[in-house]
Amino acid sequence: MIPASSEQPEDEWLPLGQLATFGLQHVLTMYGGLIAVPLIIGGAAGLSPERTAVLVTASLFIGGLATVLQSVGLPFLGSKLPLVQGVSFASVATMVAILAGPGNDLATVAGSIVAASILGFVVAPFFARIIRFFPPVVTGVVITAIGLTLVPVAANWAMGGDSESEDYGSLANIGLAFLTLAIILLLSKVGSATLSRLSILLGLVGGTVVGAFLGLTDFSGVGTGSPIAAPEFLAFGVPTFDIASIISMTIVILVIKTETAADIIAVGEIIGTPVDRRRIANGLRADMLSSAAAPLFGSFTQSAFAQNVGLVALTGVKSRFVVASSGVIMIALGLLPIFGQVISAIPMPVLGGAGVVLFGTVTGSGIRNLRSVSYDGNMNLIIVSTSLAFAMIPVVKEDFYHHFPEWFQTIFHSGISSAAIMAVLLNLLFNELTAGNSRNPSVFAAKPVRVLSPSDLRDLREGDVFVDGRFVDCDGEEVPLVPDDKLEEVRAKIECGDITDTSQVPGVLASDGDEPPAPHPAGDVGDARLSGEAGTTQEAGAVREAAHARREPRGHGTAERQD
């Protein structure tokens, strides 16, 4: 449970009311994605609505158990991080392909998942050893790719979620999505920390209420059927094992393990807690054990939900016990279908509006990680750009890999997997296997060579800084630069008392017929011609604050640079 003297952010214990509320917010965030897979597979298998409901309740129940195992943990099982588990989208295409095979049914799908997941469980420690190959240049790319590749999901939800529907993409659907987004943004802006943290949940509630008034919410299915429906053991028969299906599913399991490892590292980065090989191995083992058990109760492969990683980043609630409470709620939903029926009545456009914020936040977290990466004198820029481009290929052109082998499509049709694989390989090529690297940087790594002469530095004083294209002294006052041909004239006027304040310098230059020099971007220090015009009060205050914040003892005649 909680170590006696733990100070890790994920071990924070909140009041039960907050645990339940924030946990429900996690459930609502991922509910649409969680039930989508069983609905798709139920349709592909030709199941009746009643039998498809068995898949839905089983997915809720198993997802809840998997979430509790991953977040609370057992010896050698669970990352003990705030990760919500659920049915993985990565396996959908392969499961549909297996069902299309001659003589195959859900028992064949179940057998392939069980066998591949057991194999994944056995090799989990090997995957844990890849932690050294996930420096910030890799993790930043993966987190950014997670957010970018989920944006089309949010857009699809905002349009209605069902492309065959007559109102798909209607103004009513998209308007409701934008209204939900506006509610979330406004609640995030308010001064109350509680309201801000519950912005997603309250936005979903508000959007659903508006949707009900617009006739976009259907509660007719609430309360139908048995009030209690426990998952059936071997509801679709004893698993059968087909070699070809197992091989195809093993590739999917490798993709899922890659994504889960990336999510474990991502959430560790977001909440600021260390993630080592043991933690990754424990998380992967929990992932694979849940996946192996899921088909026995009518569910499918389990993995961490990336959108809930975004919720952790957005709300700032880092406690793993909040996520564990969401698992308990999912277990209850799996046992009490009426609660699932109520939540499933939330219109897809409402989920889409929330998804824009959630998935965008994941992207922002990745960009924040990439900010810490050095791009000078190395090939990190090409690693980031190439990997993100590969991530977007299947997103913007879904049929790009359609003529490739099925196993290749399974891996690279996921933008997240494409980015992760490419980033790891390029990092190995350029940053790990350094033999053969040129000592002269390529065009992607080279930066302009700059030099300064002693005369450029002779007038610098202790505490001088360079801020937003302007030199300021230790008191935050701007030090204007003048053209070389006017330097002696300005100095003479200073000595004779004609100029007593720096704000008079632009006026002197203007009276001589010279335009005040325009500011240059930060970086052109040696050849800069900075404006002498006084900035606004806000700019002056920011400059002064920056100058005082950076003031440290330095040798006379040196200057520090602030970008």
Side-chain angles (χ1 to χ4, degrees):
M1 293 294 291
I2 309 177
S5 59
S6 174
E7 296 182 355
Q8 296 297 328
E10 69 270 21
D11 291 333
E12 180 185 8
W13 183 268
L14 302 178
L16 291 178
Q18 293 186 30
L19 288 176
T21 303
F22 293 137
L24 178 60
Q25 186 170 236
H26 273 286
V27 174
L28 293 176
T29 298
M30 50 86 72
Y31 192 82
L34 180 64
I35 66 173
V37 175
L39 292 176
I40 294 171
I41 300 304
L47 300 182
S48 65
E50 293 75 18
R51 298 303 286 168
T52 300
V54 173
L55 296 179
V56 173
T57 55
S59 295
L60 287 166
F61 185 80
I62 297 298
L65 290 177
T67 299
V68 172
L69 177 62
Q70 186 71 266
S71 55
V72 176
L74 291 172
F76 306 105
L77 293 172
S79 64
K80 297 183 181 180
L81 289 171
L83 285 171
V84 177
Q85 301 286 115
V87 181
S88 173
F89 268 98
S91 60
V92 170
T94 298
M95 288 191 291
V96 171
I98 291 174
L99 289 171
N104 292 343
D105 54 15
L106 284 176
T108 312
V109 172
S112 67
I113 294 175
V114 170
S117 299
I118 292 175
L119 177 62
F121 184 92
V122 172
V123 302
F126 166 77
F127 268 76
R129 298 179 184 276
I130 66 176
I131 183 67
R132 61 165 293 193
F133 301 120
F134 280 82
V137 68
V138 174
T139 57
V141 164
V142 173
I143 298 171
T144 304
I146 290 173
L148 290 176
T149 56
L150 286 174
V151 169
V153 175
N156 181 57
W157 289 350
M159 296 175 73
D162 181 9
S163 60
E164 302 297 327
S165 175
E166 292 183 0
D167 65 345
Y168 183 74
S170 65
L171 290 178
N173 284 344
I174 296 178
L176 182 58
F178 277 115
L179 176 63
T180 303
L181 172 63
I183 293 173
I184 294 171
L185 294 178
L186 289 175
L187 291 175
S188 299
K189 180 179 174 60
V190 299
S192 170
T194 301
L195 286 178
S196 181
R197 286 184 171 187
L198 292 177
S199 59
I200 298 294
L201 175 59
L202 296 177
L204 292 174
V205 172
T208 301
V209 171
V210 174
F213 281 108
L214 296 176
L216 299 176
T217 306
D218 182 12
F219 289 100
S220 62
V222 176
T224 60
S226 173
I228 298 178
E232 301 177 37
F233 183 68
L234 299 179
F236 299 95
V238 178
T240 58
F241 301 95
D242 173 71
I243 297 298
S245 299
I246 292 173
I247 293 174
S248 297
M249 190 58 65
T250 299
I251 297 172
V252 173
I253 288 296
L254 295 177
V255 173
I256 291 174
K257 287 168 71 70
T258 301
E259 294 181 349
T260 298
D263 286 333
I264 291 173
I265 295 171
V267 79
E269 294 274 356
I270 289 170
I271 69 175
T273 198
V275 173
D276 55 17
R277 292 185 300 177
R278 178 177 299 179
R279 200 163 206 171
I280 294 176
N282 291 345
L284 293 178
R285 275 192 286 260
D287 215 31
M288 293 298 100
L289 180 62
S290 301
S291 295
L296 304 181
F297 295 91
S299 188
F300 311 105
T301 52
Q302 304 291 305
S303 69
F305 266 48
Q307 51 261 58
N308 293 86
V309 174
L311 183 60
V312 172
L314 183 65
T315 63
V317 179
K318 304 173 182 179
S319 173
R320 59 191 172 101
F321 300 105
V322 165
V323 169
S325 70
S326 72
V328 173
I329 294 173
M330 282 191 283
I331 293 172
L333 292 175
L335 296 173
L336 302 173
I338 187 171
F339 291 115
Q341 292 165 356
V342 170
I343 294 179
S344 64
I346 296 177
M348 291 301 291
V350 173
L351 294 176
V356 170
V357 180
L358 292 171
F359 306 154
T361 302
V362 175
T363 305
S365 297
I367 294 173
R368 182 174 57 191
N369 277 11
L370 291 173
R371 187 181 61 182
S372 66
V373 176
S374 172
Y375 299 95
D376 296 337
N378 55 48
M379 295 296 290
N380 284 337
L381 179 61
I382 200 65
I383 293 174
V384 172
S385 55
T386 303
S387 301
L388 288 178
F390 261 79
M392 297 308 297
I393 286 176
V395 175
V396 301
K397 193 65 176 173
E398 292 185 0
D399 59 351
F400 188 84
Y401 295 117
H402 278 193
H403 293 291
F404 285 71
E406 183 177 331
W407 64 266
F408 191 96
Q409 294 183 45
T410 303
I411 296 175
F412 286 94
H413 193 68
S414 166
I416 301 171
S417 298
S418 298
I421 292 171
M422 185 59 63
V424 169
L425 291 179
L426 292 180
N427 180 63
L428 284 173
L429 177 63
F430 293 119
N431 294 335
E432 296 289 339
L433 305 176
T434 57
N437 284 6
S438 173
R439 297 183 62 181
N440 298 318
S442 74
V443 66
F444 298 106
K447 59 182 296 186
V449 177
R450 299 176 57 230
V451 296
L452 293 174
S453 68
S455 60
D456 294 326
L457 305 176
R458 64 188 177 188
D459 287 326
L460 296 180
R461 298 291 182 266
E462 180 179 353
D464 289 348
V465 293
F466 193 68
V467 182
D468 296 330
R470 302 177 182 221
F471 272 115
V472 295
D473 62 18
C474 62
D475 295 316
E477 298 291 339
E478 181 181 351
V479 180
L481 296 185
V482 298
D484 290 334
D485 58 345
K486 297 294 182 181
L487 182 59
E488 293 302 324
E489 177 185 348
V490 171
R491 282 179 173 171
K493 289 182 180 293
I494 293 174
E495 292 175 1
C496 69
D498 291 341
I499 297 178
T500 59
D501 188 85
T502 55
S503 62
Q504 296 175 308
V505 174
V508 171
L509 297 178
S511 65
D512 291 336
D514 292 316
E515 292 293 332
H520 281 226
D524 298 336
V525 180
D527 191 42
R529 298 291 181 267
L530 304 184
S531 172
E533 295 182 2
T536 64
T537 302
Q538 182 178 1
E539 291 172 336
V543 168
R544 186 173 292 107
E545 179 181 353
H548 283 289
R550 291 293 302 269
R551 192 185 305 171
E552 298 176 358
R554 295 177 183 267
H556 183 74
T558 63
E560 49 186 320
R561 170 150 182 172
Q562 176 176 322
D563 291 321

